[in-house]
Structure formats: C-alpha cells, structure tokens
Amino acid sequence: MPTAHLTLDPRAVVGTVNRRLFGSFVEHLGRCVYDGIYEPGHPTADAHGFRGDVVELVRELGVSAIRYPGGNFVSGYRWEDGVGPRDQRPRRLDLAWHSTETNEVGLDEFATWLELVGSELMYAVNLGTRGVLEALDVLEYANIRSGTRLSDWRIANGRTEPHRVGMWCLGNEMDGPWQLGHGTADEYGALAAKTARAMRQVDPDLELVVCGSSGSAMPTFGAWERTVLEHSYDDVDYISCHAYYEPKNGDLDSFLASAVDMDGFIETVVSIADEVKAARGSDKTINISFDEWNVWYMQRHLAEEKITDVEQWPVAPRLLEDSYSVADAVVFGSLLISLLRHADRVTSASLAQLVNVIAPIMTEPGGPAWRQTTFFPFAETSRLATGEALALALTSDTHETEQYGKVPLVDAAATHDNGATAVFLVNRSTTEPAAVTIDVAALGGVGLVSARTLSDSDITAANTLGDPERVGLADNTSAVIADGILSVTLPPVSWTALSVATR
Ligand code: AHR
C-alpha cells in the first residue's frame, strides 16, 4: 500500500486564506442564468423570478465573490441593455455562444440575487468591443450614490443604494484568438492600463484585475503576462489565471495529477509578476485572481455543440452541461488543494461556473436542482479552510504519469485557525488505498472533529436527474489520533477533508 507522511506546524504559515478564494462565476451562457438561477415559472421562484432551490444550494456551497456577466460573453455585451424596464430591453446576438441574449437579467437583478445568496459582486467590463468610456459608465451606474445621469438612472430603475462593486475585471481572456476584440499583449495592456487609470479617477480604492493567460498551454503564455504587466503594473492589483482540465486520450493518471500543472502555472505567473516588480523597483505586489478554474470536457463540447447557422440563435440552449464523475471531483478537489497552498499569492479565485454550465449545481426547468460530485469538495473546503494556509512537510510515494512525469500519489494542503485545523488530501492511485500519517503533535492536544471522504468503487459514478444523490461524502472511519499521530487510509481515487480541534 502506498504511504505518505506529513507534519502540521501552525507556525509554518504560507499566508492567510482570503474568503475570495471560494468565489464562483455566473456567465450569460447556456442555462447558467436563464433556466438556472432565473426561472420565473418555477414552483420555488420568488417575485423576482429567482429559483429558491438554487439559492439554497448556492448558500450551502459557501460561495464568496461571484464574477459576472462573463466570460467570453462580456466581450460583446452592452451593460445598459440589461437595465431599466424589462419590456423595453433589446434582444441581442451573443456572438460568443451563438445565442440570443434576452436581457431579462442584468446588473440590477444580479445584484438582487447576490443579496439572496450572500455573495459579493465581481464585475467584468467589456474591453473586447468597447473601452474606457463604457467602463466608466457602468462604474458610475453601479457605484455613484446619486446626482449624475447614470446614478440617477439606477435610482429610477428602483435601486436607491449603489451596488458598491469593489472588484472589477478589465475584460476577459484577451489573449485568446476566440475572444471578440482579441489583440496583442501590447494593445490590450495599453487599453487595460488606460481603463484602470480612468476607473481609479472615479474611485482610487477599486480592486482591478488585468487579464493574464487563458491557460498555461497558450503559445503566448509568459510573454503575455510580462508585456501586459509592463503596461499596467502600477494601475492594477491582480493578474488573472484561467485553467480547465480534462483527461486526454483516456490518460487517467495524468488527469488525476492536473494540480501539478496548476501549481506550475501559479508559480510561473508569480515569478513573472515579481520580475516586473523588481525591474520597476516597485514596492507593490501583484496577486493572482484565478478567476476561472474547473474540470471541463471542452473538446467534446466544442465539437458537438458548435452552432454556426446564421439563422439559428437559440435562447439559453443546453451548452457545456458536463455531468461530473467521482474521478472528476477528485481532480477538482486537488485543484482546491493547489489554490490553498498558494494562498499567499492567490487571493481570489472563481470556480467556473455555478449553475448548469460546467457547474456544481444542475437544474431542470420546472423540476429539481441537484448537487454534482464537485459540489462536495468545494462546500467542505469553503466551510473548513479558514485562517492561515500551512506549509506542509509532505513525503509521499510517487508514480509516473505521461504528462507530468513522476508525481506524488498523495497530495495535501492544510489550514489553521486558532484551535481548528483542517487537512485536505487526495489519493491519485487508481488501484490502491494510501496509508497516511500526520504528525499533529505541534498542534497540542487535538481531537478529531470529522473525517469525510469522496470515493466510490465506480469512479465514473455521477449524480444525475434520475439519481441525484448517488455520490456524496461519507465518514472515513479509518481516521484515528494516537500519540500525536493522525492516521487515515485514503481509498483509491479519493478526496478527503479532516477537521481536528484543540481539546
Ligand atoms: O467558462 C466558459 C468559458 O471559458 C468562458 O466564457 C471563457 O472565459 C473561457 O474560455
């Protein structure tokens, strides 16, 4: 049986876990908004048309900030189409997803929904087909109290109080050739810097995210970050990273090790940001907003769902509706481990996305909402990972993978908050359980609060409309503490969360 050992030392602090690490993303894409969070005819819908069952699940998931309204969608979006009387809102072509946008939901409605779920708004401006002026306009509409044309328009639309949006994304994936308005790093970097400076003339305290690469495999990765930051370093606070993982050619071992890529991605972007910092002699540090991450069976979707017919622009079609297996959720949980161990520099992250579209929550029109397998690692980590992320002394047996070479079979991250410590573990072996020992002596006398594992003898098992509770977390009864050592056995292809507290 493979083994792993780790030592927990509450003094070995990586950094404070920012609540924004547990953010998510709602894009006007497929059925995320329409038939997802918003379905006026649904039996659980409130007076605004928001599904109550979805609100409940989002609360249970423990989501902090939510990025909105895109995504690729934002690069063709006119924010003003989505405010004011609904019956006067235009229907528009959404070129990113070859759909019709009805504009029934816009900034004001989304802010109302966020109040229901208790999350913060992170707003993306359109720097694809629009620019500085439109960014200033939406900022004025959202954040200025009153007494100007756009703030008074918001008030006339029924929103007396400003939305007070603190965090703003300067466009989306502008490095991607698929992005409306995509250009060079120089072009985008200059536009992002101009926009940031203008927005800061309105409010110097805004937190601004400049677009980094849409994946570590992008041909411009690295050079893009450097150039964009050379333009915008003084004017922004974060650079974004996006990453989606899927098995390639059925290679499960490499897929289960996807966090190795995420680790490298984060560390490379941190190095580049710090290099630009040093070259400028700046005393300001740029952090990462990992504002799109997930498992996504992208190749399958792009091949099967591409609509090109100029006569066909469906409203809220079923797009990117991945059904997640146990193995997917284990990879997903390991990505959370990667984010946590970089908590000093990844201070914001958004699980892409939230409902129906590559999502932890699925819905049927007029029917139920249910938790996908990925729901569980997210909810458990969001609930338990508070305080400081710890640097772990981890040793583990290893195995070879085609994509990443030799990787540890067991990976882990831990957090410590006063007397409460949480450990998150993954076993990447597809055949064998792993025996893990954790030295908890430095925590003082601690007792086990909970040990819960996601695993299944069928790693392809998923939660579906017909069987919505097939997969969930189960108590891991192997976990025991004796003589300052916590021992636990991790089933093959599993994700586990342990919680211990001072006695
Ligand atoms: O999340 C789905 C899409 O993935 C987003 O619209 C885009 O930003 C990314 O490529």
Side-chain angles (χ1 to χ4, degrees), residues 292-310:
E292 288 187 33
W293 68 269
N294 204 346
V295 170
W296 174 10
Y297 285 75
M298 193 184 303
Q299 297 315 324
R300 186 164 76 208
H301 288 290
L302 295 183
E304 288 172 8
E305 293 171 353
K306 197 160 178 58
I307 312 168
T308 48
D309 185 347
V310 76

Side-chain angles (χ1 to χ4, degrees), residues 412-480:
T415 58
H416 181 75
D417 194 0
N418 292 313
T421 306
V423 188
F424 306 95
L425 297 144
V426 63
N427 177 9
R428 293 169 171 148
S429 169
T430 54
T431 51
E432 290 183 275
V436 180
T437 49
I438 306 173
D439 187 335
V440 292
L443 300 176
V446 286
L448 191 66
V449 178
S450 64
R452 307 215 292 167
T453 291
L454 187 123
S455 70
D456 202 283
S457 53
D458 176 7
I459 62 167
T460 67
N463 292 339
T464 57
L465 175 61
D467 196 356
E469 293 183 8
R470 165 71 181 78
V471 179
L473 292 171
D475 286 340
N476 186 324
T477 51
S478 71
V480 282

Side-chain angles (χ1 to χ4, degrees), residues 31-47:
R31 301 192 307 122
C32 186
V33 173
Y34 307 114
D35 279 358
I37 67 170
Y38 176 79
E39 191 189 331
H42 191 269
T44 70
D46 66 7

Side-chain angles (χ1 to χ4, degrees), residues 355-379:
V355 184
N356 288 331
V357 172
I358 44 173
I361 298 168
M362 297 300 290
T363 69
E364 261 314 289
W370 67 96
R371 302 167 190 81
Q372 292 236 53
T373 55
T374 52
F375 186 100
F376 302 102
F378 191 98

Side-chain angles (χ1 to χ4, degrees), residues 162-227:
H163 296 308
R164 298 190 188 86
V165 183
M167 196 159 170
W168 295 76
C169 302
L170 301 166
N172 176 69
E173 291 191 350
M174 298 305 298
D175 64 319
W178 57 86
Q179 198 69 215
L180 270 175
H182 158 71
T184 64
D186 271 313
E187 286 162 350
Y188 168 67
L191 175 60
K194 265 194 280 187
T195 310
R197 285 197 288 271
M199 292 176 79
R200 286 236 162 96
Q201 276 183 250
V202 177
D203 180 353
D205 294 331
L206 298 178
E207 293 179 72
L208 302 177
V209 187
V210 75
C211 293
S213 292
S214 19
S216 62
M218 292 299 288
T220 50
F221 174 51
W224 175 273
E225 278 74 5
R226 186 170 295 104
T227 305

Side-chain angles (χ1 to χ4, degrees), residues 25 27 29 67 70-73 97 172-173 178-179 214 242 244 292 296 298 320 352-353 357-358:
F25 175 34
E27 176 169 4
L29 192 184
R67 185 166 172 257
N72 296 340
F73 169 80
W97 302 106
N172 176 69
E173 291 191 350
W178 57 86
Q179 198 69 215
S214 19
H242 290 181
Y244 293 101
E292 288 187 33
W296 174 10
M298 193 184 303
L320 282 56
Q353 298 194 6
V357 172
I358 44 173

Side-chain angles (χ1 to χ4, degrees), residues 130-385:
R130 307 187 101 185
V132 182
L133 187 63
E134 293 86 354
L136 287 175
D137 283 352
V138 66
L139 173 59
E140 178 185 325
Y141 183 91
N143 281 11
I144 296 297
R145 174 163 293 284
S146 63
T148 66
R149 184 184 174 108
L150 294 173
S151 60
D152 287 344
W153 189 26
R154 185 197 69 241
I155 293 167
N157 290 337
R159 295 294 307 211
T160 324
E161 286 299 307
H163 296 308
R164 298 190 188 86
V165 183
M167 196 159 170
W168 295 76
C169 302
L170 301 166
N172 176 69
E173 291 191 350
M174 298 305 298
D175 64 319
W178 57 86
Q179 198 69 215
L180 270 175
H182 158 71
T184 64
D186 271 313
E187 286 162 350
Y188 168 67
L191 175 60
K194 265 194 280 187
T195 310
R197 285 197 288 271
M199 292 176 79
R200 286 236 162 96
Q201 276 183 250
V202 177
D203 180 353
D205 294 331
L206 298 178
E207 293 179 72
L208 302 177
V209 187
V210 75
C211 293
S213 292
S214 19
S216 62
M218 292 299 288
T220 50
F221 174 51
W224 175 273
E225 278 74 5
R226 186 170 295 104
T227 305
V228 163
L229 283 176
E230 279 163 1
H231 281 280
S232 64
Y233 197 91
D234 298 336
D235 306 305
V236 301
D237 306 285
Y238 304 83
I239 183 155
S240 70
C241 292
H242 290 181
Y244 293 101
Y245 298 96
E246 65 184 313
K248 307 234 164 71
N249 310 317
D251 178 2
L252 185 58
D253 284 338
S254 298
F255 178 49
L256 287 164
S258 297
V260 172
D261 176 79
M262 190 183 239
D263 288 339
F265 191 4
I266 293 170
E267 285 154 26
T268 306
V269 174
V270 164
S271 310
I272 295 168
D274 290 351
E275 201 183 303
V276 178
K277 172 182 179 172
R280 304 171 76 81
S282 173
D283 56 7
K284 171 180 161 184
T285 299
I286 298 284
N287 285 326
I288 292 178
S289 169
F290 215 116
D291 48 37
E292 288 187 33
W293 68 269
N294 204 346
V295 170
W296 174 10
Y297 285 75
M298 193 184 303
Q299 297 315 324
R300 186 164 76 208
H301 288 290
L302 295 183
E304 288 172 8
E305 293 171 353
K306 197 160 178 58
I307 312 168
T308 48
D309 185 347
V310 76
E311 301 292 337
Q312 241 196 85
W313 298 87
V315 174
R318 289 183 186 256
L319 294 176
L320 282 56
E321 298 201 3
D322 271 337
S323 173
Y324 290 118
S325 68
V326 169
D328 296 330
V330 171
V331 172
F332 179 98
S334 74
L335 300 177
L336 279 164
I337 287 174
S338 171
L339 293 172
L340 271 180
R341 80 166 131 255
H342 295 101
D344 55 333
R345 299 302 293 272
V346 183
T347 52
S348 177
S350 314
L351 155 62
Q353 298 194 6
L354 188 57
V355 184
N356 288 331
V357 172
I358 44 173
I361 298 168
M362 297 300 290
T363 69
E364 261 314 289
W370 67 96
R371 302 167 190 81
Q372 292 236 53
T373 55
T374 52
F375 186 100
F376 302 102
F378 191 98
E380 194 78 342
T381 309
S382 173
R383 189 172 67 81
L384 293 175

